[in-house]
Amino acid sequence: EEYSHVQGTRWHKSVISYSIGSYTRDLPRDTVASVIESALSVWARASGLTFVRSQTRNADIMVEFVTNSHGDMYPFDGPRGTLAHAFGPGSGVGGDTHFDDDEQWTAGDKGFNLLLVAAHEFGHALGLKHSTNPQSLMYPTYKSTRSANLLSREDVANINALY
Ligand SMILES: CNC(=O)[C@@H](NC(=O)[C@H](CC(C)C)CN(O)C=O)C(C)(C)C
Ligand SMILES: [Ca+2]
Ligand SMILES: [Zn+2]
Ligand SMILES: [Zn+2]
């Protein structure tokens, strides 16, 4: 799973903190914050986990918009190609979620939709692997057309099996 750098298998607490360490210039900061919150709430509803926003850099899930080489062993690759990656549950880098800021991030449908990508990444940050089912949010390829409710039955079953 080269896009979910596995740490542990799951979080062993029900309240998980997140912090937005850097922003993209493609969207207003408030929009980024509300999209991130929405993407986490999708998993909160299905897992019973609670996500609390922090302003410190030692939150469980550090969200960053970065380009190319950015301090971990998984440099991004410019426009298109890899859109984002996330580390599985654990201390330190565990849970951290990075978005390639060489992409055009959108809250609508021009460019890559941040909600769709963030929801996929947070699945990894919670311990989920990729799915071979194209309907699943955890499918490894970006698909702009997704049903209103982001999670497929498979995603709900998988997160329930984990938490
Ligand atoms: C448009 N580009 C793609 O579809 C690329 N896929 C991604 O960037 C994955 C994220 C999507 C599914 C939001 C990477 N991943 O799995 C992170 O956890 C490639 C399929 C080209 C690798
Ligand atoms: Ca890229
Ligand atoms: Zn992935
Ligand atoms: Zn990274």
Side-chain angles (χ1 to χ4, degrees):
E1 300 293 329
E2 70 279 16
Y3 295 103
S4 76
H5 315 302
V6 180
Q7 310 287 313
T9 53
R10 53 163 286 185
W11 297 95
H12 296 289
K13 51 186 178 179
S14 61
V15 179
I16 296 165
S17 58
Y18 72 97
S19 178
I20 303 172
S22 58
Y23 290 82
T24 175
R25 285 193 301 277
D26 299 342
L27 293 165
R29 291 192 170 203
D30 288 354
T31 304
V32 171
S34 65
V35 167
I36 293 298
E37 187 184 10
S38 299
L40 287 167
S41 69
V42 162
W43 293 111
R45 275 197 300 280
S47 66
L49 293 169
T50 302
F51 297 100
V52 291
R53 190 172 176 197
S54 149
Q55 299 298 335
T56 68
R57 296 199 63 80
N58 54 18
D60 297 315
I61 295 177
M62 277 306 299
V63 175
E64 310 268 3
F65 287 82
V66 293
T67 57
N68 299 312
S69 193
H70 57 274
D72 60 29
M73 300 212 320
Y74 308 96
F76 282 131
D77 53 2
R80 308 192 69 78
T82 300
L83 306 180
H85 57 221
F87 293 81
S91 59
V93 77
D96 290 2
T97 301
H98 301 158
F99 297 93
D100 185 349
D101 208 6
D102 275 331
E103 313 304 343
Q104 175 64 42
W105 294 107
T106 174
D109 50 12
K110 281 184 315 307
F112 292 105
N113 184 277
L114 184 59
L115 178 61
L116 287 180
V117 177
H120 174 98
E121 298 311 326
F122 292 141
H124 288 315
L126 296 181
L128 293 187
K129 304 278 161 289
H130 281 152
S131 165
T132 54
N133 174 353
Q135 308 306 321
S136 164
L137 182 61
M138 298 313 293
Y139 193 64
T141 303
Y142 177 82
K143 287 170 50 175
S144 59
T145 55
R146 282 215 167 274
S147 62
N149 52 341
L150 284 178
L151 299 190
S152 71
R153 279 194 308 281
E154 176 183 321
D155 301 312
V156 173
N158 288 337
I159 198 72
N160 281 330
L162 204 51
Y163 291 95

